[in-house]
Amino acid sequence: MQKKIAVIRGDGIGPEIVNEALKVLDVIAKKYGHTFTYDDVDMGGNAIDKWGEPLPQAMLDKCVNSDSVLLGAVGGPKWNSVPGDKRPEKGLLKLRAGMGVYSNNRPAKIWPQLADASPLKPEIVEKGIDFIIVRELIGGVYFGKHETNVVNGEKVATDIMNYSESEIERIGRIGFETAQKRNHKLCSVEKSNVLDTSRLWNATMHRLAKEYPDVELTDMLVDNCAMQIVKNPAQFDVIVTENMFGDILSDEASMITGSIGMIPSSSLGKTSCGLYEPIHGSAPDIAGQDIANPIGTILSAAMMLRYSFDMAKEADDIENAVSKVLDKGYRCGDIMPAHNADKCTKVGCSKMGELIRQELI
Ligand code: IPM
Ligand code: MG
């Protein structure tokens, strides 16, 4: 198969981790007789420096016209003083909205080899951590009106959060369908004791539930959910939630699996052209030192093969290769265990990529 992939290396550790993922894709292409072509896209801080804006229209067009997009990470302290609507992150939001990828899928699954790296007590980890957060990605407060005005001599900032029934319905359906493919348990997370958007969310989810009788729907308030994720993560199968709650809960969920550096994500809309990115940020403090963990990005590339290109065998191959490298005790700094570290070998970003590729050949 021939596929055109738009590649956004981004800022900070972005270029290093994407580089490793592309080399993995090259090995897969050769092994299975595919042709992957890469179209470089500037986005984030580097695009601000080069083009004066975080995602020029021509760059967005390249993404929309590709078969899928692979992204490293964007942002960094260099652009902290840039006005809000010109920040690197704004490029990412424009990309998500421009591609129409409303459904962000963030798995929280513990690799057995990394159980030691989880900050949770072993008796909690042993019960299993394997759930998915389905996060609404192009609505809510991220995309509402943002403004700061002077009222009665002081600054007043406003961020509007709104959700229409149809926006909730389309992500709700993804939640139910994801649960149908797994253990048939869906937890809808909101703050319906306070927010109108959450009350509409709750009502919509319960209306939809009638169409999915094989899925057990439960509701949970977001503050309780934050607590339950560390207290008893084994209770979750699929969580569906709005944009900002999903942003926060997915960082928490990644941490209990050992490290945010391991977690890939897919974002999909109406077409098979998806956006694939690790859920971590650009980590400017460790950029350029060859110590970042490329696994989140490599697993994102695997998700791209699985969900956008229908290449399940190839995706399994990459995931198995990662597992074998972990079996052999190789770890990047972020996944070194707190105890028994002498049983592991600490490696950098390029070495980790190379080890994974060796398992694929
Ligand atoms: C994420 C990130 C982004 C978000 C930032 C960089 C805008 O935290 O993908 O989770 O909040 O969505
Ligand atoms: Mg986040």
Side-chain angles (χ1 to χ4, degrees), residues 252-267:
E252 186 193 13
S254 72
M255 200 55 230
I256 65 167
T257 69
S259 171
I260 195 168
M262 296 290 296
I263 312 287
S265 80
S266 68
S267 304

Side-chain angles (χ1 to χ4, degrees), residues 37-353:
T37 55
Y38 308 122
D39 194 7
D40 268 304
V41 169
D42 302 323
M43 186 180 94
N46 61 90
I48 296 174
D49 291 350
K50 201 162 153 190
W51 306 102
E53 51 176 314
L55 182 66
Q57 186 61 41
M59 296 292 161
L60 173 58
D61 292 346
K62 280 195 193 194
C63 294
V64 173
N65 295 322
S66 69
D67 290 313
S68 265
V69 181
L70 182 68
L71 161 66
V74 294
K78 183 176 171 198
W79 304 280
N80 274 353
S81 54
V82 175
D85 63 334
K86 289 262 176 323
R87 284 182 63 98
E89 292 81 359
K90 209 63 190 182
L92 179 57
L93 300 187
K94 186 175 166 191
L95 176 67
R96 290 171 176 170
M99 291 180 69
V101 288
Y102 60 84
S103 168
N104 180 219
N105 189 320
R106 300 189 161 186
K109 185 173 176 175
I110 193 144
W111 293 77
Q113 303 94 324
L114 299 185
D116 274 1
S118 172
L120 297 186
K121 288 190 188 134
E123 57 266 34
I124 297 178
V125 176
E126 272 155 27
K127 285 203 235 150
I129 302 175
D130 182 4
F131 62 96
I132 285 187
I133 297 182
V134 175
R135 168 187 177 195
E136 198 293 321
L137 202 61
I138 55 175
V141 71
Y142 274 55
F143 292 89
K145 194 169 173 189
H146 306 285
E147 59 183 8
T148 306
N149 296 311
V150 176
V151 180
N152 297 332
E154 64 168 340
K155 281 187 188 162
V156 177
T158 308
D159 299 288
I160 307 255
M161 174 163 176
N162 56 33
Y163 267 108
S164 68
E165 227 174 332
S166 56
E167 280 176 300
I168 300 171
E169 178 165 338
R170 66 182 179 180
I171 190 70
R173 289 193 185 280
I174 302 285
F176 280 105
E177 287 160 18
T178 309
Q180 280 181 323
K181 290 183 202 135
R182 294 174 46 100
N183 295 324
H184 301 257
K185 278 170 58 184
L186 179 62
C187 181
S188 163
V189 172
E190 28 76 350
K191 186 76 186 166
S192 55
N193 54 349
V194 178
L195 302 176
D196 261 40
T197 44
S198 283
R199 286 189 271 271
L200 183 59
W201 183 280
N202 182 291
T204 307
M205 293 303 296
H206 282 273
R207 172 168 59 77
L208 290 178
K210 299 192 185 88
E211 293 178 45
Y212 302 89
D214 55 331
V215 175
E216 180 200 329
L217 174 69
T218 53
D219 307 301
M220 197 176 275
L221 295 174
V222 63
D223 46 352
N224 183 28
C225 183
M227 196 168 75
Q228 295 298 330
I229 284 176
V230 287
K231 193 174 165 211
N232 179 17
Q235 71 185 286
F236 296 111
D237 179 24
V238 180
I239 288 174
V240 64
T241 193
E242 67 88 36
N243 203 345
M244 188 163 66
F245 297 161
D247 176 46
I248 298 167
L249 294 178
S250 61
D251 267 30
E252 186 193 13
S254 72
M255 200 55 230
I256 65 167
T257 69
S259 171
I260 195 168
M262 296 290 296
I263 312 287
S265 80
S266 68
S267 304
L268 285 156
K270 283 202 196 99
T271 71
S272 64
C273 175
L275 169 63
Y276 295 85
E277 50 174 321
I279 78 159
H280 61 71
S282 61
D285 52 323
I286 59 164
Q289 298 170 41
D290 195 26
I291 56 173
N293 185 351
I295 296 180
T297 316
I298 290 171
L299 294 174
S300 298
M303 281 184 112
M304 172 187 290
L305 300 183
R306 189 183 300 285
Y307 297 115
S308 285
F309 301 165
D310 247 338
M311 297 179 184
K313 239 183 3 203
E314 292 84 334
D316 287 345
D317 207 0
I318 296 177
E319 287 164 5
N320 290 335
V322 170
S323 189
K324 281 188 210 148
V325 170
L326 296 176
D327 281 342
K328 290 182 178 166
Y330 293 108
R331 304 283 188 271
C332 289
D334 61 322
I335 48 174
M336 280 297 280
H339 310 289
N340 301 325
D342 50 322
K343 293 199 185 117
C344 292
T345 310
K346 191 167 164 183
V347 295
C349 181
S350 51
K351 183 72 191 172
M352 182 54 92

